[in-house]
């Protein structure tokens, strides 16, 4: 079974430039998450989708961040304009409900460096 | 406020010995706990989980113990292997509700051959 796919793996941009990240979840997983992981920290949730609906975007900085999940499969996370503090790893995850609880599976992440 | 805490940033263990990674949480509503392993330049990989109705879950060399009264869980790896060297993240969620995961800051395990 293919895992969560993310692209690009690495991105270097100058501040004030836009950037976009793409995620393809595991087939059949209806729930999709975007996380941001800063150096030395655990991942922190940005937004959660149930199919094409964003059910929790309370942690998404909406002045510069946007996300979409058209057709409830692939998702795109955008930052415009990027700031120096946005340098981090952006992780996408999708989940499946097991007998004990919901388990999230992560992609490899996109490492963003803003100069 | 960090709801999930891993107070040991690093741990070194000899190959073949037991590795014990610890995690504490503050939110009594958490009822599902997971451990993830992360290698450099990769995303976190799911390792093992436990529901709050249990106090132990075992999968091969990996066992997770949950002490609800102490709001503490631990991951035991025995015997430890050099390939286990990675950063281990503890995560918690409430299955009734948002299901959002809250992560600790990670513990870097080094297994010395």
């Amino acid at each position: 079974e293919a895992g969560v796919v993310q692209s690009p793996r690495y991105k270097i941009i100058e501040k004030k430039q836009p950037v976009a990240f793409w995620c393809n979840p595991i087939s059949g997983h209806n729930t999709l998450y975007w996380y941001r992981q800063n150096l030395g920290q655990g991942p922190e949730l940005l937004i959660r989708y149930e199919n094409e609906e964003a059910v929790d975007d309370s942690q998404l900085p909406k002045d510069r961040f946007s996300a979409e999940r058209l057709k409830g499969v692939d998702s795109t996370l955008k930052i415009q304009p990027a700031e120096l503090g946005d340098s981090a790893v952006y992780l996408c995850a999708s989940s499946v409900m097991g007998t004990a609880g919901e388990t999230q599976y992560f992609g490899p992440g996109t490492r963003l460096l803003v100069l | 406020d960090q709801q999930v805490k891993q107070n040991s940033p690093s741990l070194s263990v000899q190959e073949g010995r037991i590795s014990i990674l610890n995690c504490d949480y503050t939110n009594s509503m958490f009822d599902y706990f997971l451990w993830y392993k992360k290698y450099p330049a990769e995303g976190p990989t799911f390792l093992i989980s436990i529901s709050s109705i249990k106090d132990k879950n075992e999968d091969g060399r990996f066992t997770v113990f949950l002490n609800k009264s102490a709001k503490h869980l631990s991951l035991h790896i025995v015997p430890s292997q050099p390939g286990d060297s990675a950063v281990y993240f503890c995560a918690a969620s409430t299955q009734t509700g948002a299901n959002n995961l809250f992560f600790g800051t990670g513990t870097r395990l080094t297994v010395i051959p």
Side-chain angles (χ1 to χ4, degrees), chain A residues 82-103:
Chain A
E83 297 179 352
L84 296 177
D86 296 332
S87 295
V89 176
Y90 290 83
L91 294 161
C92 179
S94 65
S95 67
V96 62
M97 182 62 73
T99 54
E102 180 180 316
T103 300

Side-chain angles (χ1 to χ4, degrees), chain B residues 11 21-22 27 29-31 37 40 42 49 72 80 88 95 97 104 106 112:
Chain B
L11 174 69
L21 295 96
N22 294 304
N27 189 341
M29 298 300 290
F30 288 146
D31 55 9
K37 179 170 71 173
E42 295 184 11
S49 63
H72 177 83
S80 301
Y88 289 78
Q95 291 301 295
I112 303 166

Side-chain angles (χ1 to χ4, degrees), chain B residues 66-107:
Chain B
L66 175 63
N67 183 334
K68 290 186 290 295
S69 61
K71 295 191 179 69
H72 177 83
L73 65 155
S74 60
L75 175 68
H76 292 208
I77 306 173
V78 54
S80 301
Q81 300 174 354
D84 296 329
S85 297
V87 178
Y88 289 78
F89 288 96
C90 169
S93 70
T94 55
Q95 291 301 295
T96 53
N99 298 346
N100 295 340
L101 278 181
F102 294 85
F103 283 84
T105 52
T107 296

Side-chain angles (χ1 to χ4, degrees), chain A residues 5-36:
Chain A
V5 179
Q6 290 187 248
S7 69
R9 292 294 310 276
Y10 304 91
K11 190 74 177 179
I12 301 174
I13 61 172
E14 293 187 347
K15 63 180 181 182
K16 301 184 181 179
Q17 294 298 307
V19 64
F21 315 124
W22 175 81
C23 173
N24 178 243
I26 294 172
S27 177
H29 287 194
N30 295 328
T31 307
L32 182 146
Y33 304 77
W34 282 102
Y35 287 84
R36 177 168 58 189

Side-chain angles (χ1 to χ4, degrees), chain A residues 25-87:
Chain A
I26 294 172
S27 177
H29 287 194
N30 295 328
T31 307
L32 182 146
Y33 304 77
W34 282 102
Y35 287 84
R36 177 168 58 189
Q37 184 174 16
N38 293 310
L39 191 64
Q41 301 294 315
E44 294 179 333
L45 181 71
L46 290 173
I47 189 168
R48 170 171 165 253
Y49 281 93
E50 293 288 349
N51 298 302
E52 64 273 10
E53 182 183 0
V55 297
D56 185 353
D57 62 357
S58 58
Q59 301 304 311
L60 191 72
K62 298 182 184 61
D63 57 335
R64 298 183 300 105
F65 285 66
S66 64
E68 60 182 12
R69 191 184 184 198
L70 301 177
K71 300 181 182 179
V73 181
D74 295 1
S75 178
T76 303
L77 178 68
K78 298 179 181 178
I79 309 174
Q80 183 171 9
E83 297 179 352
L84 296 177
D86 296 332
S87 295

